Amino acid sequence: MDHTAAAKDFRRFIQELEDEGELLTITKEVDPHLELAAIVRKVCETGERAPLFTNPKGRKDDGLFRVIGASIGYSKRPGMQLCRLAKSLGLPSSATGHEIVQKINEAKTKPPIPCRKLESGPVKDHIIHGDDIDLTQLPVPLLHEHDGGKFIETMGMHVVQSPDGKWTNWSISRGMVHGKRELVGLVIPKQDIGTIFNLWKEKGEDMPWAVCFGVPPAAIMVGGMPIPKWTNEPEFIGALTDAPVDIVKCETNDLWVPANAEIVLEGVVSISETAPEGPMVEYNGLVFPGHKTQCPIFKVNTITYRHDPILPICVAGRAPDENSTIWCTMQAAEVLNICQKAGLPINMVWCPFESHCLWFVLQVNHSKLVDMGTNMEEFCRKLGHVVFGSKPGWFIPKIFLVNDYIDPTNLPDVIWAEATRCEPGRHEFIFNEYSNIPLIPYVTHGLPSKTGMNGKVVKCCMLPNEFTEKTLPWKEGSFQGAYPEDVKKKVLDNWTAYGFQPL
């Protein structure tokens, strides 16, 4: 099987989910007012099949649109929990967290592959212009009871470009329906879309923009990756999938979008007009009812879409949803690359989905660490400055440093290491000189900061002698660590004979 095919085309991805029993097609009419999203949220929390809603109430005869939720969510199937994430990157469904991060990290060493420009593509099957557009009449789901509006953009990919044309950015951030032809959404200055927005503002012109739904899954993954500024995401996606991304030109501006996208809204982002936005249950799992911010208006001039299109949504909340599966994984891979480029002996980085993208577990190479001739404080200070001072470091408040006998993808392992080896205060190294993304609840709604900064921490879940001794003076009290190999083999070989279910 060509595993990379699903990563390059959303329709192929959906078909492969169905073929593997990871998709549930719901033909019963479902109300977009909370019912649809409540189903998706329950799916996220139980690891059930991704629901494809073919009959959302209010869907028009012209085919706008089917809805899918949890498309890159977590699966409850043993050994296949990350299968949707793996398929999004062109890996076999059984890929582990280690294999997924390694695949992304390896792509950083490959040369970028430029996109392939086409005259047309499936996304041009249907076109709606100007006053024929009415976003308020579409079956856009209301995702949570306390949201400030209907967020059509939760799993779409914004496309913007610097005024000089040298930097094309594909990224993800939320967008709420504001009127017949308007969205309103976050444009945070420190994020890439905010940086490019400010360049257009300095020029005195509205920013050309498009948002694409149902793009190649590898593209939506990279859209959630904090790669260095001035890196063209489309070309990195080519390196990740070993093939160019097929793109077509927008109808009303000079931007290029994936040719096989499901739906594209195109227009401009106003540099002068704003509107109240939010609140919304965010990736952190909380909402603060009534909390609104003034955000730029995104003006929609044209909609293009393929026949019988599918709108992917992410119903954010308590993990795991796509905020966790996509953002946690892509940030972890970028942090691994940053650490290794800095010469730090880090084997693996993982962000537990349960931490809502706020805990990052860094696994050190024990032998190389001892060879460095360092100590706990010196190493943790250096590590903290490297990570917290990087682009993804802005999103990261908490690092857990573990030894290589701890699996960072196994949360019980991480909890055990933190509980037994991290002494409060003396094994925790605080950094107050770096800022944090304001979407972290305690940053915006916690105790006021006198300096405008909020603390970050490296929690060292290792004992001091792990920095100086290659042979550790303890043994682990587990099946793996407390029994000889012949006994373990005998137990495993006879597991079902004892009467247990197969492992």
Short mmCIF file of all heavy atoms in Angstrom, two decimals, residues 14 16 66 119 122 143 160 166 168 176 215 252 302 312 320 360 376 385 401 405 407 452-453 456 460 470:
data_model
loop_
_atom_site.label_atom_id
_atom_site.label_comp_id
_atom_site.label_asym_id
_atom_site.label_seq_id
_atom_site.Cartn_x
_atom_site.Cartn_y
_atom_site.Cartn_z
N ILE A 14 -10.04 10.06 3.87
CA ILE A 14 -11.35 9.66 4.38
C ILE A 14 -11.68 8.23 3.94
O ILE A 14 -12.18 7.42 4.72
CB ILE A 14 -12.45 10.63 3.89
CG1 ILE A 14 -12.21 12.04 4.45
CG2 ILE A 14 -13.83 10.12 4.29
CD1 ILE A 14 -12.23 12.14 5.94
N GLU A 16 -9.59 5.83 3.24
CA GLU A 16 -8.77 4.87 3.97
C GLU A 16 -9.24 4.71 5.41
O GLU A 16 -9.15 3.62 5.99
CB GLU A 16 -7.29 5.28 3.90
CG GLU A 16 -6.70 5.09 2.51
CD GLU A 16 -5.18 5.11 2.51
OE1 GLU A 16 -4.57 5.02 3.59
OE2 GLU A 16 -4.60 5.22 1.40
N ARG A 66 -21.17 18.44 3.65
CA ARG A 66 -21.07 17.41 4.69
C ARG A 66 -20.07 17.88 5.75
O ARG A 66 -19.27 18.78 5.50
CB ARG A 66 -20.60 16.10 4.07
CG ARG A 66 -21.58 15.51 3.06
CD ARG A 66 -21.04 14.24 2.43
NE ARG A 66 -19.99 14.51 1.45
CZ ARG A 66 -19.19 13.59 0.92
NH1 ARG A 66 -19.30 12.33 1.31
NH2 ARG A 66 -18.28 13.92 0.03
N GLU A 119 -3.58 24.50 -13.78
CA GLU A 119 -4.56 25.44 -14.33
C GLU A 119 -5.87 25.37 -13.54
O GLU A 119 -6.55 26.37 -13.34
CB GLU A 119 -4.82 25.14 -15.80
CG GLU A 119 -3.66 25.50 -16.72
CD GLU A 119 -3.40 27.00 -16.73
OE1 GLU A 119 -4.38 27.78 -16.74
OE2 GLU A 119 -2.22 27.38 -16.73
N PRO A 122 -10.05 20.00 -8.56
CA PRO A 122 -11.38 19.70 -8.03
C PRO A 122 -11.99 20.84 -7.22
O PRO A 122 -13.22 20.99 -7.20
CB PRO A 122 -11.13 18.46 -7.15
CG PRO A 122 -9.92 17.82 -7.73
CD PRO A 122 -9.07 18.95 -8.23
N LEU A 143 -20.45 24.97 18.22
CA LEU A 143 -19.63 23.89 18.77
C LEU A 143 -19.81 23.68 20.27
O LEU A 143 -19.67 22.56 20.76
CB LEU A 143 -18.16 24.17 18.46
CG LEU A 143 -17.81 24.29 16.97
CD1 LEU A 143 -16.32 24.54 16.79
CD2 LEU A 143 -18.24 23.04 16.20
N VAL A 160 -1.71 33.01 3.62
CA VAL A 160 -1.35 34.42 3.47
C VAL A 160 0.08 34.48 2.95
O VAL A 160 0.82 33.50 2.99
CB VAL A 160 -1.48 35.20 4.80
CG1 VAL A 160 -2.92 35.26 5.26
CG2 VAL A 160 -0.59 34.60 5.89
N LYS A 166 7.81 36.72 -0.83
CA LYS A 166 8.89 35.77 -0.51
C LYS A 166 8.50 34.75 0.56
O LYS A 166 9.19 33.75 0.71
CB LYS A 166 10.12 36.55 -0.06
CG LYS A 166 10.75 37.41 -1.17
CD LYS A 166 11.99 38.14 -0.66
CE LYS A 166 12.62 38.98 -1.77
NZ LYS A 166 13.81 39.73 -1.30
N THR A 168 5.33 32.49 2.01
CA THR A 168 3.96 31.98 2.01
C THR A 168 3.74 31.19 3.29
O THR A 168 4.50 30.27 3.59
CB THR A 168 3.71 31.08 0.79
OG1 THR A 168 3.89 31.85 -0.41
CG2 THR A 168 2.30 30.52 0.81
N MET A 176 -14.76 32.89 13.20
CA MET A 176 -16.18 32.86 13.55
C MET A 176 -17.00 33.60 12.48
O MET A 176 -16.60 34.67 12.01
CB MET A 176 -16.36 33.54 14.91
CG MET A 176 -17.74 33.52 15.50
SD MET A 176 -17.77 34.30 17.15
CE MET A 176 -17.90 36.03 16.70
N VAL A 215 -7.94 20.10 3.22
CA VAL A 215 -6.68 20.11 2.48
C VAL A 215 -5.97 18.77 2.68
O VAL A 215 -6.38 17.95 3.51
CB VAL A 215 -5.77 21.27 2.95
CG1 VAL A 215 -6.46 22.60 2.71
CG2 VAL A 215 -5.42 21.11 4.43
N THR A 252 -9.73 35.71 -6.89
CA THR A 252 -9.79 37.15 -6.66
C THR A 252 -8.50 37.75 -6.10
O THR A 252 -8.45 38.94 -5.82
CB THR A 252 -10.95 37.48 -5.70
OG1 THR A 252 -10.75 36.79 -4.46
CG2 THR A 252 -12.27 37.07 -6.30
N THR A 302 -15.18 35.33 -2.60
CA THR A 302 -15.49 34.17 -3.46
C THR A 302 -15.37 32.89 -2.65
O THR A 302 -14.55 32.80 -1.73
CB THR A 302 -14.52 34.11 -4.67
OG1 THR A 302 -14.76 35.23 -5.52
CG2 THR A 302 -14.72 32.85 -5.49
N PRO A 312 -14.23 19.75 7.51
CA PRO A 312 -13.69 19.17 8.75
C PRO A 312 -13.78 20.18 9.88
O PRO A 312 -13.56 21.39 9.67
CB PRO A 312 -12.24 18.86 8.38
CG PRO A 312 -11.90 19.82 7.30
CD PRO A 312 -13.17 20.18 6.58
N PRO A 320 -8.48 13.94 24.24
CA PRO A 320 -7.74 14.36 23.05
C PRO A 320 -8.64 14.73 21.88
O PRO A 320 -9.60 14.03 21.58
CB PRO A 320 -6.90 13.13 22.72
CG PRO A 320 -7.78 11.98 23.16
CD PRO A 320 -8.61 12.48 24.31
N PHE A 360 5.80 19.29 27.96
CA PHE A 360 6.67 18.68 26.95
C PHE A 360 7.71 17.83 27.66
O PHE A 360 8.43 18.32 28.53
CB PHE A 360 7.31 19.75 26.07
CG PHE A 360 6.38 20.27 25.03
CD1 PHE A 360 5.34 21.12 25.38
CD2 PHE A 360 6.48 19.86 23.71
CE1 PHE A 360 4.43 21.57 24.44
CE2 PHE A 360 5.58 20.31 22.76
CZ PHE A 360 4.55 21.17 23.13
N MET A 376 23.09 18.87 37.03
CA MET A 376 21.67 19.09 36.84
C MET A 376 21.33 20.54 36.52
O MET A 376 20.67 20.84 35.52
CB MET A 376 20.89 18.65 38.08
CG MET A 376 19.37 18.81 37.94
SD MET A 376 18.48 18.47 39.47
CE MET A 376 18.82 16.73 39.71
N HIS A 385 16.90 27.58 28.17
CA HIS A 385 17.14 28.73 27.30
C HIS A 385 16.99 28.34 25.83
O HIS A 385 16.46 29.12 25.02
CB HIS A 385 18.52 29.32 27.57
CG HIS A 385 18.61 30.10 28.85
ND1 HIS A 385 17.80 31.18 29.11
CD2 HIS A 385 19.42 29.95 29.94
CE1 HIS A 385 18.10 31.68 30.31
NE2 HIS A 385 19.08 30.94 30.83
N LEU A 401 12.15 16.79 32.07
CA LEU A 401 13.35 16.11 31.59
C LEU A 401 13.41 14.72 32.20
O LEU A 401 13.40 14.58 33.43
CB LEU A 401 14.60 16.91 31.96
CG LEU A 401 15.93 16.30 31.51
CD1 LEU A 401 16.05 16.31 29.99
CD2 LEU A 401 17.11 17.03 32.14
N TYR A 405 15.42 5.54 30.14
CA TYR A 405 14.65 4.37 30.52
C TYR A 405 13.17 4.73 30.72
O TYR A 405 12.35 3.87 31.03
CB TYR A 405 15.21 3.71 31.79
CG TYR A 405 15.31 4.63 32.99
CD1 TYR A 405 14.21 4.91 33.79
CD2 TYR A 405 16.54 5.22 33.32
CE1 TYR A 405 14.31 5.75 34.87
CE2 TYR A 405 16.64 6.05 34.41
CZ TYR A 405 15.53 6.33 35.18
OH TYR A 405 15.63 7.17 36.26
N ASP A 407 9.75 6.15 28.91
CA ASP A 407 9.13 6.36 27.61
C ASP A 407 8.29 7.63 27.67
O ASP A 407 7.26 7.66 28.35
CB ASP A 407 8.26 5.16 27.24
CG ASP A 407 7.56 5.31 25.89
OD1 ASP A 407 7.74 6.35 25.24
OD2 ASP A 407 6.81 4.38 25.52
N GLY A 452 4.83 41.52 33.30
CA GLY A 452 4.22 41.18 32.02
C GLY A 452 4.64 39.81 31.52
O GLY A 452 4.21 39.39 30.45
N MET A 453 5.49 39.12 32.28
CA MET A 453 5.93 37.77 31.91
C MET A 453 5.30 36.76 32.88
O MET A 453 4.93 37.10 34.00
CB MET A 453 7.46 37.67 31.99
CG MET A 453 8.20 38.62 31.08
SD MET A 453 7.96 38.20 29.34
CE MET A 453 9.10 39.34 28.56
N LYS A 456 8.12 30.05 33.29
CA LYS A 456 8.26 28.75 32.65
C LYS A 456 9.15 27.90 33.54
O LYS A 456 9.92 28.44 34.36
CB LYS A 456 8.86 28.89 31.26
CG LYS A 456 8.00 29.70 30.26
CD LYS A 456 8.74 29.87 28.95
CE LYS A 456 7.96 30.69 27.95
NZ LYS A 456 6.85 29.96 27.33
N CYS A 460 13.24 18.70 36.43
CA CYS A 460 14.19 17.62 36.22
C CYS A 460 13.71 16.37 36.95
O CYS A 460 13.75 16.31 38.19
CB CYS A 460 15.58 18.00 36.70
SG CYS A 460 16.81 16.73 36.31
N LYS A 470 27.03 6.22 34.58
CA LYS A 470 26.36 5.50 33.50
C LYS A 470 25.62 4.26 34.00
O LYS A 470 24.64 3.82 33.38
CB LYS A 470 27.36 5.12 32.41
CG LYS A 470 27.89 6.32 31.64
CD LYS A 470 28.68 5.92 30.41
CE LYS A 470 29.10 7.16 29.62
NZ LYS A 470 29.83 6.84 28.37
#
